[in-house]
Amino acid sequence: MPTVTAQGKTMQCEAGANLRQVLLAHGVDLYNGQAKVINCRSLGTCGTCAVAIEGDVSAANWKDKARRSLPPHDPQRNLRLACQTQVLGDITVTKYDGFWGQGKQVVWASTHDPG
């Protein structure tokens, strides 16, 4: 079973599990500010669940690529939409600031929980 490490927590999931669902099920603060209330609920249209991922995940699908190609996201930046990402192996996840998670300051990393 793959291991997901995020916000100082380590959790296991089935291979192919949706990263957004795994993070939320384990109490990880995936959204910044009011994005907790105002998000697309996995449609891949809002971009607020953007995270940096290290490890084995699915290739970016068209929804992920399309949303991250629009401002405030930068398609050259190494971010992914958690709602459009399947966990295939062990991964670590980092969340950045900004409403859409597009900022440069780390909010939380795999081993750091500022809470």
Side-chain angles (χ1 to χ4, degrees):
M1 293 185 93
T3 299
V4 177
T5 306
Q7 198 177 20
K9 301 174 183 181
T10 300
M11 56 216 86
Q12 289 189 323
C13 65
E14 296 291 328
N18 177 276
L19 180 57
R20 176 186 182 269
Q21 292 174 357
V22 171
L23 295 173
L24 293 178
H26 288 88
V28 173
D29 295 324
L30 179 57
Y31 297 102
N32 295 336
Q34 291 302 311
K36 292 174 187 171
V37 178
I38 305 169
N39 66 74
C40 69
R41 309 287 191 253
S42 284
L43 296 176
T45 57
C46 73
T48 59
C49 66
V51 291
I53 303 168
E54 291 184 29
D56 192 15
V57 295
S58 59
N61 65 20
W62 70 269
K63 287 182 181 182
D64 190 326
K65 290 177 184 177
R67 179 59 193 98
R68 289 183 302 104
S69 72
L70 300 170
H73 286 291
D74 176 355
Q76 301 304 312
R77 189 131 178 249
N78 189 25
L79 296 178
R80 292 289 302 276
L81 300 185
C83 73
Q84 300 299 310
T85 303
Q86 293 178 306
V87 179
L88 302 178
D90 294 348
I91 65 170
T92 59
V93 183
T94 302
K95 181 70 177 183
Y96 290 93
D97 66 339
F99 185 81
W100 288 270
Q102 83 287 359
K104 302 290 184 190
Q105 299 294 324
V106 172
V107 174
W108 52 257
S110 57
T111 59
H112 173 67
D113 182 0

